[in-house]
Amino acid sequence: MTTTEKVSGPSTGGEPTPPLRVALLGCGVVGSEVARLLIDSASDLRARVGRPLELVGIAVRRLNRPREGLDAGLFTTDAEGLVSRSGVDLVIEVIGGIEPARSLILSALRHGASVVTANKALLAEDGATLYAAAEQSGVDLYFEAAVAGAIPIVRPLRESLVGDEITSVIGIVNGTTNYILDKMDSQGAGFAETLVDAQALGYAEADPTADVDGFDAAAKAAILASLAFHTRVGAADVYREGISEVTTSDIASAREMGSVVKLLALCELSPAVDGAGPRGVSVRVHPAMIPRSHPLASVTGAYNAVFVESRSAGRLMFYGPGAGGSPTASAVLGDLVTVARNRVRGAAGPGESSYAARPIDPIDDVVTRYHVCLEVADVTGVLATVAACFAEHGVSIQTVRQQGRGTDAQLVVVTHRATDAALSATVRALRTLPSVRDVTSVMRVEGET
Ligand code: HSE
């Protein structure tokens, strides 16, 4: 029996039910798992959809790699030919990157196929063009796997919570960086050696830039913020800092405060101010200290989690594996069944919702708390001088800790809430003070008011 016959067999009794024809773009870690599930779970998928799903082709870059359990006749290097082939109903894109993924998805949508994609970078860069093409053809564009792997978070934001007002979405959406920061916290190791360790164990890529510098999390933050706030947010709208500057002393200082350092994706609706016009949104990715009592603090290893606050539902936490072939394939298959069901009923799911068109707040205006570490000369009045500098810039101090180091001292200041602009001005001024040797670290403190 061929693969095609196996996944598109007749329904029980009567005429064979015509299958929905599925094209798969990419057969890497996720794609091969999707193909395997399409074949192994064919009869359950057929029962759930109401029609068989027939895998009609798999586009790959090279044909010469053995792919166990998959019919060699399914493979092609002509991806454009596959998506524009007559009668293809559903296209799954798991090749990633901007091109050729964008052209292939647009071609699929224009040829009338619904698309399921895991491509966060493309959605964050050019989601509006994809939505418009889907809308024009009256087909679906689904992308649960683009954010946080297996965790259902796109559909909850896009559908389950669409009647509510979401005020913030805070996520640990990158497993690689969470693994590294967690190891630094639990083993006291430095960033560089932990990264090497993570690479050796397969938790980090040979080129870790997209993860470590926050690009991956920023793309996911843009997608989450767009959905939560009904506003187009692109990757370029996201303020981004990675984790390579996080030191063992930051981690130790967080620990002393009962906190932990995490790379957070923070999507927040600005507070309402009377007469100040529409509320904006801030979207940022950076390392931050959060109290160990916060639900996100308990997310260890390479796991992901997304913490949502909304007006009516209150606080919701979504947690699970954020990457990997099998978990990501679960999200892809969930979308595939949904768009297939829509197809069977001649319906389409939600399109883009960007009616609110909220302004994006510049990072200067974002208000949060800060942990500032300084090396100072241990002389009479240094504390007063430093405190005065914070006060002059309108930044209120919550706590100060001092530790003697010979003739010098280390000061750790935690502030009350202040704007990023005020804190930056304070740090610039601190650096000019004769008694301040250096401002060694500045980190945001999140998760409590
Ligand atoms: N590289 C990502 C991570 C998974 O480490 O979470 C894919 O988005």
Side-chain angles (χ1 to χ4, degrees):
M1 185 184 278
T2 66
T3 301
T4 306
E5 283 163 349
K6 194 173 168 191
V7 296
S8 64
S11 61
T12 45
E15 288 298 299
T17 312
L20 290 168
R21 292 155 65 85
V22 181
L24 175 61
L25 307 178
C27 198
V29 175
V30 177
S32 56
E33 186 62 15
V34 167
R36 191 186 67 74
L37 288 169
L38 269 173
I39 292 162
D40 290 358
S41 309
S43 63
D44 280 329
L45 293 174
R46 177 172 62 190
R48 291 169 198 177
V49 169
R51 273 171 66 180
L53 300 178
E54 179 185 354
L55 182 58
V56 295
I58 305 175
V60 290
R61 243 180 313 173
R62 283 179 297 276
L63 289 175
N64 52 1
R65 281 178 49 192
R67 279 141 174 139
E68 209 184 310
L70 296 174
D71 181 350
L74 287 170
F75 289 90
T76 174
T77 53
D78 181 10
E80 175 54 40
L82 177 60
V83 297
S84 55
R85 197 186 287 177
S86 159
V88 168
D89 299 288
L90 312 167
V91 171
I92 301 167
E93 184 273 312
V94 284
I95 51 181
I98 304 300
E99 284 295 349
R102 172 169 35 204
S103 302
L104 293 170
I105 290 176
L106 288 174
S107 178
L109 294 168
R110 286 171 186 149
H111 280 88
S114 288
V115 169
V116 172
T117 176
N119 196 326
K120 65 224 154 209
L122 178 56
L123 287 159
E125 178 164 307
D126 205 10
T129 305
L130 306 186
Y131 276 124
E135 180 80 23
Q136 203 159 18
S137 296
V139 295
D140 279 330
L141 173 69
Y142 272 57
F143 46 89
E144 185 62 71
V147 183
I151 304 174
I153 185 60
V154 168
R155 193 159 305 137
L157 294 178
R158 209 179 180 193
E159 299 182 40
S160 321
L161 293 167
V162 74
D164 205 339
E165 181 182 69
I166 293 174
T167 50
S168 80
V169 179
I170 304 179
I172 293 173
V173 291
N174 183 269
T176 304
T177 45
N178 200 58
Y179 176 87
I180 292 171
L181 291 172
D182 184 38
K183 283 282 170 249
M184 288 173 73
D185 179 56
S186 59
Q187 296 178 357
F191 168 76
E193 64 185 287
T194 310
L195 172 60
V196 170
D197 185 42
Q199 285 170 318
L201 292 168
Y203 285 105
E205 305 275 347
D207 177 0
T209 314
D211 294 319
V212 161
D213 290 347
F215 291 101
D216 175 82
K220 293 166 179 169
I223 295 168
L224 293 174
S226 301
L227 297 172
F229 305 126
H230 304 277
T231 293
R232 272 186 199 163
V233 180
D237 296 316
V238 182
Y239 173 82
R240 179 188 53 77
E241 282 175 29
I243 65 162
S244 55
E245 307 285 310
V246 176
T247 63
T248 48
S249 108
D250 293 329
I251 303 264
S253 193
R255 184 172 274 280
E256 277 174 44
M257 285 165 49
S259 295
V260 63
V261 176
K262 297 286 186 191
L263 182 73
L264 297 183
L266 297 118
C267 316
E268 294 171 315
L269 191 58
S270 314
V273 180
D274 281 347
R279 293 165 76 179
V281 298
S282 66
V283 192
R284 50 200 167 106
V285 166
H286 54 69
M289 295 182 186
I290 52 170
R292 284 185 191 264
S293 56
H294 192 284
L296 290 172
S298 59
V299 179
T300 55
Y303 274 80
N304 281 195
V306 183
F307 185 67
V308 178
E309 289 190 75
S310 72
R311 194 152 83 172
S312 303
R315 297 174 159 195
L316 306 164
M317 175 83 161
F318 300 81
Y319 170 84
S326 188
T328 309
S330 164
V332 169
L333 262 291
D335 277 354
L336 190 72
V337 169
T338 304
V339 301
R341 284 172 168 168
N342 288 344
R343 196 92 170 173
V344 167
R345 282 161 185 74
E352 183 181 27
S353 176
S354 59
Y355 75 92
R358 295 185 181 282
I360 309 292
D361 294 339
I363 188 68
D364 275 358
D365 295 353
V366 170
V367 175
T368 190
R369 296 164 60 228
Y370 300 86
H371 174 279
V372 183
C373 224
L374 310 102
E375 292 290 336
V376 299
D378 197 358
V379 293
T380 309
V382 66
L383 208 51
T385 312
V386 166
C389 186
F390 277 85
E392 276 158 25
H393 293 88
V395 180
S396 171
I397 292 175
Q398 186 184 35
T399 60
V400 183
R401 277 183 291 135
Q402 178 176 343
Q403 208 166 33
R405 295 195 167 172
T407 55
D408 286 356
Q410 185 189 56
L411 289 184
V412 176
V413 176
V414 178
T415 73
H416 285 294
R417 286 164 66 79
T419 64
D420 208 273
L423 195 279
S424 298
T426 308
V427 170
R428 280 196 299 275
L430 285 168
R431 288 200 157 113
T432 67
L433 296 176
S435 53
V436 173
R437 308 256 190 257
D438 196 8
V439 179
T440 52
S441 145
V442 178
M443 191 176 291
R444 295 172 183 85
V445 177
E446 304 286 345
E448 59 185 9
T449 50

